[in-house]
Every structure is written in structure tokens, then in C-alpha cells.
Amino acid sequence: MPDPSSRRTFLAASAAAVSTAAFPWNTAAAEDSAAELISGKDERLIVLKPYPAVIETPLKLLTEHQLTPAELLFVRNNSQPKDAATISASTHRQWAISVGGAVSKTARIALNSLGSLPRTEYEMVLQCSGNGRSLFSFAAQTSGTQWGRGGMGNVKFGGVRLSAVLDHLGVEVRKSVRFVNAGGSDEPLPDKEDFLHSLPVEDVLNRSIIATTLNGKPLAAIHGGPARLITPGVFGTMQVKWLSELVFVAEESTNYNHVPRYRVPNSPIRPGTKYDFTLQNSAYNWDLKVKSVILNPNHGDALKAGENTIQGVAFNDGRVSISSVLLSFDKGQTWTRAELSQPESQYGWIRFSLKKKLSRGTHTIWSRAIDELGRTQPLDGSIAWNPRGYEWNGVEQIKVTVS
Ligand SMILES: Nc1nc2c(c(=O)[nH]1)N[C@H]1C(S)=C(S)[C@@H](COP(=O)(O)O)O[C@H]1N2
Ligand SMILES: [Mo]
């Protein structure tokens, strides 16, 4: 494990210096706790960057709830609206989303006109595609905030299906359309392009909702309230917060946030290789990869000899269920099946646990999830190394000492 603390302080200090000038209302300081930066957040969260906020959740806190409370949920902002620094509901009352591009007519989706439409709720994993980035950096340095493993949570988003909203408004999507460009109302950092992604239109029309609730409460402002485009089973970057614009298009956007950011090479490259990302030679972060994460104990923990319980979570893109999670205490020579919780939902995570007698000394603990399509985690996660460190899903490997 790299020790991220010194790097963290450095990143935090430089981020604060840059952003104060860019956003006059920002008073974030490098040493502020999550609770000071975002009203309602738990002070135990790890601040990777104060502004725009990048905050991860200590893994042990994730063991306490099947549904991650807003107080504990990680935050990742590329930019940040000035009134969004709270887990309370957004105060915007007249929110509308513009709809345009290759459609039969342009339209405005007024949030408060959606009351008559049926609501859909998804319990689902929300995970930043940069989660676990620091683990890639063992093989070769990756650029971007060096996330540990806690850039993820399991939450319930509620809202109305985008396809139902379009039907309701009489908007037809033309046959030529392959993508939807989704943007939020957040203003870009100076010299940066506005945050925007192209989402594949078929998945969006099948699954996506305009979400207005999080865990049954009005959607927290920091998590995109009042409206967020939510597609279960896909990486966090595609879950566009403060949704204000949807443009239906034939071709994928070349916005900087869509290429070269948030993409992985089409085929494996040697760690450390430079890569000139284009729409053709790379893929946008989309389907979540099968993954297990050990939540307790954590890497570096000191345990007592005797029976210990290993606890964690596993998930995939929701296409099929997780069939097993295997644990190894001898670096992969032998594996033991962990006990799994009953799945609560197609897109949510399941919990695993295993009781294990540990003797004095140093122990490695590995975990590996396998799903019903046989998809699993590579033994060496760096096989998927990419310059920006996205989509880490290597076999989980931690070390603990027992006395
Ligand atoms: N409008 C907007 N949406 C956004 C972002 C952003 O900066 N602006 N960040 C994205 C990224 S990279 C992630 S991982 C998730 C994080 O969601 P959260 O902050 O609710 O945990 O939001 C995504 N949606
Ligand atoms: Mo992200």
C-alpha cells in the first residue's frame, strides 16, 4: 500500500490554492474535515481534495449499513455549484432540464411536472471509476487523485424513467441517435471544459431515471439534487449530477471530460506506457466490473490471534448475480468460499463474510468474486493498467499482523 498521506496534503494544498480564486464563495481550506466542507457529512470521511470536493469513505464505516447513508457516501466533484455543499435537499424550486438534438421536438422537463408519472427505485452501487487508482500506481504511476478503495457506496436512487418522461412530453428520438449528451449546471473550473458525457442511448432509454431521491429522502444537493441522471450498473462518472441538459446525438462527444478523461484503452498496455486517447482506440467508463472489496479488517490492521471475521462486499454490472466470493490466506494456492448475503437487488452489492482462525504472524488475505457469467477479478489487477487509473478490479490483496 502506498502511504497516501503526504501526497494527499500536497494535492489538497494545491487544489485549495487554485480554486479559491476561481470560485469566490469557496472558503475551503486544505485541513478542513468533510463535515466542515459539506454540511452533514461524517467527520471521519477522508478528504482527498477540499474543493471541488473529493472525499472517500473509510471501509469499516461501509460495513455498518446495507444502504450507505448520505452522511457516509463518498463525493467526487469536477466542479461544484456554490449552493451544493450540503447533504440537505437542493433549494432550487423551478428546476428544468432542456431536451434537444435529434428529436421530433425540443422540450423542457420541468421537475415539478413529473408528479403523475410512475416512480422507479434502484438499490445500486455508486462507484467512481477512479476507485482503487492508487493500487495501479504500484505498477506505474497513474495521474489523478490517488483514491484508496473507498470511492464507492451502495444507495437507493428514486425517480422517473427518462423514457416515460419523453413519452409524456411527446418527444420521439430519431433512429440515427446513438448517444445522449448529458450535462449538469455546475460551472467548469477555469480553462476546463464543462462536465459532460455521452451515454449510450439504448441503455439510457431502457434503464435511466431522472433521480430526485436518495435513500428515500429528497436528493442531497452534494449528490446532484434536485435532479440527477442515474443509470444503475455503470460507473459513477456517468451519473450526471445537477442535470440540466440532454442532447440526443449520432456521434460521441469529444468533450475533454469524455475523451481523453474517463476512458480505458481497447486492449491491455504495458504499465507506464503513454497513450493518445481517441474515440476509436478507447472505451468510456460504463459497465461496472465484477469486484470484491474487503471492508474489515483493513490493510495494515493489527488483529488478535484466534477467530476473526473477514467481511466485505461484492458487485458487478447487475447483468447476472455474483455466484461466489473466494478468500485465500496463502496467496492464491487454496481458496475458501465466503458466506454471501441474499441479494437485495440486481444492482446493489451483496455482503460476504468468513470466520477464520488466524495464528500469530503476518497474514495476507485475498478475495475474489465470480459472477454467473464466469466473470471474475484478475489475479494481478495491473493487467488493466491505464494512464489515468480507471476501473481497478484486481483480486483484493491485503496484509494484516496478528499478535
Ligand atoms: N455534473 C456533474 N456530475 C458528476 C460529476 C461532476 O463533477 N459534475 N462527477 C462525476 C463523478 S467522476 C463521480 S464518481 C460521481 C460521484 O458521485 P457522488 O459525488 O454523488 O458520490 O458523480 C459524477 N457526476
Ligand atoms: Mo468518478
Side-chain angles (χ1 to χ4, degrees):
M1 261 312 257
D3 170 17
S5 55
S6 54
R7 152 171 235 97
R8 220 171 252 164
T9 316
F10 169 74
L11 285 174
S14 52
V18 170
S19 51
T20 307
F23 297 89
W25 60 84
N26 166 37
T27 53
E31 66 281 5
D32 283 344
S33 71
E36 287 164 318
L37 293 169
I38 295 158
S39 155
K41 285 289 176 189
D42 192 293
E43 62 185 13
R44 293 168 294 177
L45 301 187
I46 304 161
V47 178
L48 298 175
K49 252 192 195 184
Y51 199 91
V54 184
I55 298 175
E56 84 172 79
T57 312
L59 297 177
K60 277 180 190 149
L61 299 183
L62 293 173
T63 60
E64 292 166 17
H65 317 266
Q66 171 66 19
L67 278 188
T68 310
E71 288 80 355
L72 296 180
L73 186 61
F74 80 99
V75 177
R76 201 287 182 241
N77 287 333
N78 288 278
S79 47
Q80 191 171 311
K82 73 173 172 202
D83 50 3
T86 174
I87 68 164
S88 300
S90 157
T91 52
H92 291 273
R93 291 277 163 269
Q94 307 293 331
W95 198 264
I97 301 151
S98 68
V99 178
V103 286
S104 57
K105 63 172 194 196
T106 59
R108 247 177 109 255
I109 303 173
L111 261 204
N112 46 28
S113 73
L114 301 181
S116 61
L117 295 176
R119 296 188 64 84
T120 299
E121 270 204 327
Y122 291 117
E123 179 180 328
M124 54 178 266
V125 172
L126 181 67
Q127 182 189 216
C128 180
S129 47
N131 192 31
R133 178 177 290 144
S134 59
L135 302 167
F136 277 123
S137 292
F138 284 111
Q141 186 62 40
T142 52
S143 61
T145 308
Q146 295 296 305
W147 288 95
R149 297 165 164 92
M152 59 173 201
N154 188 56
V155 291
K156 206 175 257 183
F157 281 109
V160 293
R161 282 180 191 275
L162 178 60
S163 57
V165 177
L166 296 177
D167 284 350
H168 177 71
L169 294 171
V171 174
E172 276 172 42
V173 174
R174 299 232 170 87
K175 286 233 157 34
S176 58
V177 168
R178 290 164 55 232
F179 293 94
V180 191
N181 291 342
S185 67
D186 45 334
E187 303 270 334
L189 292 174
D191 308 324
K192 293 277 157 67
E193 272 182 83
D194 206 4
F195 187 82
L196 178 148
H197 275 300
S198 296
L199 283 65
V201 74
E202 208 184 307
D203 286 352
V204 167
L205 293 180
N206 282 333
R207 260 188 276 160
S208 304
I209 57 172
I210 296 176
T212 55
T213 65
L214 171 65
N215 296 342
K217 295 183 195 137
L219 179 52
I222 192 65
H223 294 296
R228 183 170 188 173
L229 186 64
I230 286 290
T231 312
V234 314
F235 280 108
T237 192
M238 292 294 189
Q239 319 285 359
V240 176
K241 303 195 268 191
W242 315 296
L243 182 67
S244 58
E245 191 180 54
L246 293 168
V247 182
F248 290 83
V249 292
E251 300 299 332
E252 232 178 298
S253 170
T254 53
N255 178 297
Y256 173 74
N257 291 293
H258 192 66
V259 61
R261 297 188 81 206
Y262 297 109
R263 300 184 85 85
V264 293
N266 282 341
S267 22
I269 58 173
R270 188 192 303 274
T273 310
K274 286 215 175 70
Y275 201 77
D276 191 11
F277 286 92
T278 66
L279 291 178
Q280 289 71 37
N281 73 8
S282 63
Y284 50 86
N285 300 151
W286 191 245
D287 297 325
L288 288 170
K289 287 185 177 170
V290 61
K291 189 172 185 182
S292 63
V293 179
I294 300 172
L295 299 180
N296 194 11
N298 298 150
H299 181 75
D301 274 2
L303 307 179
K304 288 254 169 303
E307 191 170 83
N308 279 274
T309 305
I310 320 297
Q311 281 177 284
V313 292
F315 55 86
N316 62 359
D317 56 10
R319 203 150 291 168
V320 294
S321 22
I322 298 290
S323 47
S324 50
V325 176
L326 305 177
L327 297 189
S328 178
F329 299 87
D330 55 12
K331 299 191 174 173
Q333 292 177 59
T334 60
W335 295 87
T336 310
R337 214 178 258 269
E339 231 173 271
L340 302 183
S341 65
Q342 279 305 316
E344 308 264 341
S345 101
Q346 182 180 1
Y347 297 107
W349 65 32
I350 57 165
R351 282 162 290 148
F352 69 83
S353 69
L354 182 76
K355 287 194 167 73
K356 173 76 179 173
K357 271 210 181 95
L358 295 175
S359 55
R360 289 198 175 79
T362 304
H363 292 270
T364 56
I365 310 176
W366 289 12
S367 77
R368 187 178 208 182
I370 303 161
D371 76 10
E372 281 174 355
L373 289 173
R375 298 179 300 180
T376 187
Q377 305 177 247
L379 276 172
D380 176 2
S382 72
I383 185 80
W385 187 93
N386 60 96
R388 289 164 193 270
Y390 295 123
E391 306 191 1
W392 169 268
N393 81 326
V395 162
E396 177 85 320
Q397 308 185 353
I398 65 166
K399 211 178 254 183
V400 295
T401 55
V402 178
S403 56

